[in-house]
Amino acid sequence: MTTLAQAVGQTLAAGGIRHAFGVVGGGNVLATAALTAAGVHYTAARHEGGAMAMADAYFRATGEVAVCTTTHGPGITNTVTALADAAKNRSGVVLLCGDAPVSGPRPHDIDQSALMAALGVRVVRLTGTTTARADTAAAVRLARDGRRPVALFLPGDLIDRPLGGNAPSAPARTGAGTPPAVDGQALDKALAALAGARRPLLLAGLGAWHSGAGKILRELGDRLGALFATTVMANGMFHDSPWSLGVCGGFAAPAAATLMGEADVVVAFGASLDTFTLHGGRILDPAATVVQVDLDGRAGARRADLVVRGDAHAVAVRLLDEAGRRALAASDWRTRRAAAVERARAGWADAGHRDASTADRIDPRTLTRELAALLPRERTVVLDGGHFIAWPAMYWPVPDPAGFVFTGAAFQSIGLGLAGAVGAAVGRPDRLTVAAVGDGGALMGLPELDTLVRSGRPALVVVYDDAAYGFEAHMYAPRGADPATMAFADTDFAAVARALGATAVTVRGTGDLGAVRAWRESGCPGTLVLDCKVVPGVIAPFLADLLGRS
């Protein structure tokens, strides 16, 4: 007889789940065994928060739903930070975890449904053996179609109960559902704005990438004579267009930022237009007309002059069709500013800087520029949070948004980068995973360096080690914060990494980077960790601007 746990594992596998990440305990160990028996690949994490970050990163890198599995109680509470980030990022993940018995909670149980509600996570709780397969299939469907984390709860007294029958039920692949109808009146206003535009800019966010709008947006931009830009989360979406300015916001190179500031009409597709994207309001001309294409039809960002409700792809199709039907004249902005666009596309790579390296510490700009030439084009860049994020975002272009996994960005957290590297490496073995972490986040998430090593997947980990919480030090020390609360003794990450089975090098100058070339020439065996002792006083441009120090 098939037990409930076995039925759940079989249904998840039949529904297309290929990878699971987790930490086993009494509430989920039998369900995890059922997953692996059904052919689902399982990665054992060292912490439940790491397991959730792995599943989240896997989704971001592949677009496929993954499972994070934990026990009840402390197992699920340990996932909260990473789960909140996944929820805010709208990642398709199924959290498979134990729960209190249907007969009633035990003294050590908590109200897990209330916890999930606080995070905005949908709950599917199995309540009986007759509906277990259907409910499990529904959880996968909700995660896939809604691009959201879904918690699938396994009550402790149902796990061993027999169901009868052995045929798993696969969840129907219904797609993302019917997108809302495009607001025709708002579309007409957007077309009127574009008809009068002399310098149109199309800005794509993660919503545009998820909707598959890349190709149609390029066609629309070419029809209008527009330039292209993306949010940081949609980094790489227009990399193959000669009219792409790259990332909009504080990471934009000066030449690109200048052109973005010249735009008179900006149409943002699937982008939230938050303060980071707009660099605190500095990036766009205050007189520019900003049109926001928003799937949910919310009131829009404060910077939006007009909101068009609709899916990014559907709205772009309508705009392209109407632009042709109404014979809108293409802007000559590209022709007039072709040389400036070419300079902008060179980005930070061609922007010089005064090297601040010392005898024992390397300038982070010099480090990142030198590494760029040593990395393959097909790569997945995984970022943790912290001041250092500017350097990889500025100097390491990615092939598409799936190649840029920025952990913690949605929830403003750190410590998820090493776990994110595991999920990306497992999900995209065809690309080299390059994880960039600060020393603070690396120490928070250090257990998952062991998981990365155990995975056996090639990965390069770059630790930007300034022995401090750099963002807080630059931001708050001038305002009276105690520097001692933000600085630490030096950590020998290379020694720690070697103890965990990785190859590791301490980097104090460009000569130490030869280890990367040797590692690649030998076929990228396992994990290489670079403990980069960076100059702490170099402030990233985005932060310098915000602090008024540029």
Side-chain angles (χ1 to χ4, degrees):
M1 298 293 286
T2 301
T3 66
L4 180 138
Q6 291 169 334
V8 168
Q10 293 165 0
T11 304
L12 290 170
I17 300 297
R18 298 193 299 149
H19 291 273
F21 307 85
V23 178
V24 294
N28 72 318
V29 66
L30 294 179
T32 303
L35 279 174
T36 59
V40 175
H41 180 273
Y42 177 72
T43 298
R46 289 300 188 181
H47 189 276
E48 291 88 352
M52 175 52 64
M54 292 172 197
D56 181 8
Y58 178 92
F59 172 80
R60 300 194 206 194
T62 67
E64 298 177 3
V65 176
V67 164
C68 167
T69 181
T70 78
T71 191
H72 48 71
I76 193 170
T77 58
N78 276 348
T79 69
V80 167
T81 297
L83 183 56
D85 192 55
K88 290 181 179 296
N89 193 66
R90 295 189 67 102
S91 294
V93 178
V94 173
L95 172 59
L96 175 66
C97 58
D99 194 18
V102 291
S103 57
R106 299 155 295 197
H108 56 275
D109 287 322
I110 63 170
D111 188 342
Q112 297 184 168
S113 294
L115 177 63
M116 294 297 100
L119 300 174
V121 175
R122 180 76 174 269
V123 172
V124 175
R125 189 171 192 259
L126 303 186
T127 56
T129 57
T130 58
T131 59
R133 287 195 175 97
D135 290 342
T136 300
V140 176
R141 195 161 52 245
L142 284 168
R144 178 180 292 124
D145 295 353
R147 294 194 183 97
R148 60 189 300 176
V150 176
L152 179 61
F153 285 172
L154 307 176
D157 53 352
L158 296 183
I159 293 175
D160 284 327
R161 288 193 187 178
L163 271 70
N166 292 303
S169 172
R173 292 177 176 267
T174 60
T178 304
V182 177
D183 184 339
Q185 186 175 9
L187 191 79
D188 285 340
K189 293 180 180 178
L191 283 162
L194 287 170
R198 298 184 65 247
R199 299 175 299 279
L201 175 69
L202 302 188
L203 172 62
L206 200 57
W209 170 251
H210 284 160
S211 74
K215 183 176 183 294
I216 193 68
L217 286 177
R218 284 190 288 272
E219 292 179 11
L220 176 63
D222 292 343
R223 175 67 181 77
L224 298 172
L227 300 182
F228 301 107
T230 72
T231 65
V232 67
M233 301 301 279
N235 191 357
M237 191 164 169
F238 300 121
H239 80 280
D240 57 348
S241 170
W243 305 108
S244 173
L245 303 178
V247 173
C248 182
F251 298 155
T258 296
L259 286 166
M260 293 175 198
E262 292 179 6
D264 59 353
V265 175
V266 179
V267 186
F269 293 84
S272 62
L273 298 179
D274 58 20
T275 185
F276 197 85
T277 296
L278 300 182
H279 195 31
R282 295 167 175 80
I283 200 73
L284 300 180
D285 183 347
T289 298
V290 178
V291 180
Q292 184 181 25
V293 178
D294 182 81
L295 181 64
D296 298 327
R298 296 185 291 267
R302 285 184 297 176
R303 186 63 183 84
D305 300 297
L306 171 65
V307 176
V308 180
R309 181 177 184 268
D311 170 77
H313 185 277
V315 172
V317 169
R318 289 282 300 277
L319 287 172
L320 180 60
D321 289 346
E322 288 298 316
R325 189 178 68 82
R326 302 183 190 191
L328 295 189
S331 164
D332 65 348
W333 192 22
R334 291 179 172 182
T335 304
R336 288 185 287 108
R337 300 290 275 147
V341 173
E342 186 174 354
R343 289 193 299 272
R345 283 184 57 75
W348 291 98
D350 285 353
H353 66 270
R354 184 176 179 180
D355 193 346
S357 300
T358 65
D360 62 348
R361 288 194 172 270
I362 188 170
D363 186 315
R365 297 165 295 186
T366 303
L367 166 70
T368 316
R369 285 184 64 174
E370 291 292 321
L371 278 173
L374 299 174
L375 302 177
R377 181 181 179 278
E378 287 298 315
R379 56 188 178 237
T380 304
V381 174
V382 180
L383 296 188
D384 204 339
H387 171 250
F388 75 90
I389 60 173
W391 315 123
M394 289 161 57
Y395 292 104
W396 295 346
V398 292
D400 53 43
F404 191 78
V405 178
F406 191 172
T407 68
F411 196 44
Q412 297 293 290
S413 64
I414 69 172
L416 304 179
L418 290 173
V422 178
V426 169
R428 290 301 302 265
D430 57 317
R431 291 178 170 177
L432 177 65
T433 296
V434 183
V437 299
D439 53 295
L443 287 170
M444 278 191 187
L446 190 60
E448 304 312 343
L449 178 57
D450 169 76
T451 309
L452 183 59
V453 172
R454 283 188 290 106
S455 77
R457 307 299 174 100
L460 175 65
V461 177
V462 183
V463 182
Y464 287 79
D465 185 2
D466 62 357
Y469 289 135
F471 186 94
E472 287 73 16
H474 293 309
M475 176 71 80
Y476 296 108
R479 295 163 61 179
D482 182 357
T485 64
M486 300 172 283
F488 302 91
D490 188 59
T491 301
D492 190 348
F493 285 101
V496 173
R498 283 191 288 268
L500 293 174
T503 303
V505 176
T506 300
V507 177
R508 298 185 183 277
T510 56
D512 298 316
L513 297 177
V516 179
R517 184 177 294 105
W519 178 71
R520 287 201 60 201
E521 290 174 350
S522 61
C524 302
T527 302
L528 173 62
V529 175
L530 303 182
D531 180 7
C532 304
K533 307 301 184 183
V534 298
V535 175
V538 178
I539 303 178
F542 83 94
L543 185 55
D545 286 349
L546 296 177
L547 295 174
R549 301 183 197 174
S550 56

